[in-house]
Amino acid sequence: MNSSEIILLQNVDRPNSESIGVYRESGGYKALVKALKEMKPGEIVEEVKKSGVRGRGGAGFPAGLKWSFVPKESEKPKYLCCNADEGEPGTFKDRVLIERDPHQLIEGIIISCYAIGIHTAYIYIRGEFVKGARILEQAIAEAHENGFLGKNILGSGFDVDLYVHRGAGAYICGEETALMESLEGKRGNPRNKPPFPAVVGLYGGPTVINNVETLSNVPHIVTKGGDWYAGIGTEKSTGTKLFCISGHVQKPGVYELPLGVPLKELIYNVAGGLGEGHRLKAVIPGGSSTPILTAEEAEKVTLDYESLEALGTALGSGAVIVMDETTCIVRSTWRLSKFYEHESCGQCTPCREGTAWMEKILARIVRGEGRPEDIDLLADICDNIFGNTLCPMGDAATGPVLSTVRKFRNEYEYFIEHKRSIVGN
Amino acid sequence: MAFEFSAEGKKAFENILTRYPDKESALLPTLHLAQKEFGSFTVDRMDAIAGLLGLPHVRVYRGVSFYTMYQRQEVGKYLLQVCTNVSCSLLGAEKLVTYLGETLGIKVGETTADGLFTLIEVECLGACGNAPVMMVNDDYYEDLTIEKLDALLDQLRRNSE
Ligand SMILES: Cc1cc2nc3c(=O)[nH]c(=O)nc-3n(C[C@H](O)[C@H](O)[C@H](O)COP(=O)(O)O)c2cc1C
Ligand code: SF4
Ligand code: FES
């Protein structure tokens, strides 16, 4: 394992890293030149397939495979949407890529458009990232001035327009079909699938939706080849990943590591370990929706899609939330349930009602008014939601509740019996 | 009531319309622009926007109510948006909310009598590595402590004089 490979973050610490001049000094836009002048679109799709890169937005779907579902010929225009909604609690990696290396992302988007035959792309960025949106607008203008965007890019005859679209505070708009609804000016209500966006997406045209981090990898795959990328990480989890580590560690932040790295290494070495005299209690490994790990599980697992799946959880967006022994699991789960209740779009009954019930029950436990039967009631509600909703958000909402009820049941029992937290607050 | 974008706003609005194949898609950016110019959304303003975009009024109302960043009520000059989601809570966000409430003499959701500050709690702001985090209007303030909050409130008060 070549643990020294830094791909996505190689530029972020340079002064003025967001400017096109600095990006080009370090070889920026050479991949675009190579793609347009030396490669056929199909060859790029093949390289991305070979790289094995999986979607970094949470679901982990192989990017090259997704691209290959888009029909070559289409009556309606095809679109690319870059998902920069970054709303999953614990996640803060795309912001770094957007603010500190916007051209890497833009180059990735242009190459991807060329590979799939797309002429219009949107970056859907969460509304709160005002600064990020401004930086992207500026970078897009620079790319136009340099002939990398617009008509007849670098004399190739290929055209792409790229626009920034700001969201306005709704987590559900990170879900790909809600994102398209929102871009079309509607409420962010997820659509039924099928049809999948690759066939019927934005404005009814075939649409590719990829996360910021996924697309930022593309220039590097074009430059160095799919085989090079596939050589990093594990067999099924190729490449590097940006891990966002937060909570009770000495050095929280965004770190780029090869997939397959032990979680222990990230917590204790890279992020400096927990505070003096504190010990690990639990870790949410991939963003708030992913089931929690006990300290024991966390100290054994490696960070890749397959190992986390084997433990019943997921790599998700790479958002690692670390909790020490002072954390009240019941209280933090209640806070997450409040989030899901607030963010449910309300379209399907199990999600709308279920998230509201879970919040209500957890709130009463936290107030010291819980009843012993509440614990099983929570598990029942999760059971009723799971698999019965239109979009994956319903299942997501059950992740924190069900996993903590199973793994930290004693904390719930203690809270209900003593009307206070096991950690004494 | 008159609804008229500033000269700069008009230019921005024209530019927004060039970005999408239909006018409806311009709703969110137009609402952002309108909020920047007018502060909040009265029924008159929403109706005017519906007129600009050729949409049924109800489509604009539904949009404004769905997206939490659009303010239906007047807010203070400084909108204090404290993240209390998990990573921020692990590092004391709730104490900051309590402190702000006490110092400003308001509850969450309220505005100070001088119209300067509105305090709200928000969901994860995507900056958890620098928790606890707060937004004031469009700007992020990170790695917050009580001392930093005091200094910031002072500065904001001075800026508004
Ligand atoms: C409730 C919900 C929220 C999501 N939020 C995001 C998000 O903020 N950013 C993101 O990239 N993907 C998010 N996703 C995943 C997207 O639906 C989609 O899988 C992803 O954008 C595809 O890009 P990728 O294959 O490159 O990961 C979310 C999914 C769900 C169900
Ligand atoms: S699962 Fe929840 S968020 Fe998803 S469509 Fe149904 S109600 Fe909306
Ligand atoms: S939890 Fe506060 S910024 Fe993410």
Side-chain angles (χ1 to χ4, degrees), chain A residues 331-345:
Chain A
R331 211 179 275 277
S332 64
T333 307
W334 164 65
R335 183 60 188 82
L336 283 179
S337 75
K338 212 167 116 177
F339 168 75
Y340 288 105
E341 187 254 341
H342 183 245
E343 302 297 336
S344 166
C345 85

Side-chain angles (χ1 to χ4, degrees), chain A residues 85 87-89 169-175 288-289 339-340 343 393 396:
Chain A
D85 199 49
E88 173 88 351
Y171 164 67
I172 193 58
C173 292
E175 193 281 331
S288 66
S289 309
F339 168 75
Y340 288 105
E343 302 297 336
M393 157 109 170

Side-chain angles (χ1 to χ4, degrees), chain A residues 294-310:
Chain A
T294 61
E296 202 182 25
E297 290 171 321
E299 286 178 356
K300 279 192 300 215
V301 77
T302 53
L303 292 167
D304 49 73
Y305 295 97
E306 57 277 19
S307 303
L308 286 156
E309 225 163 87

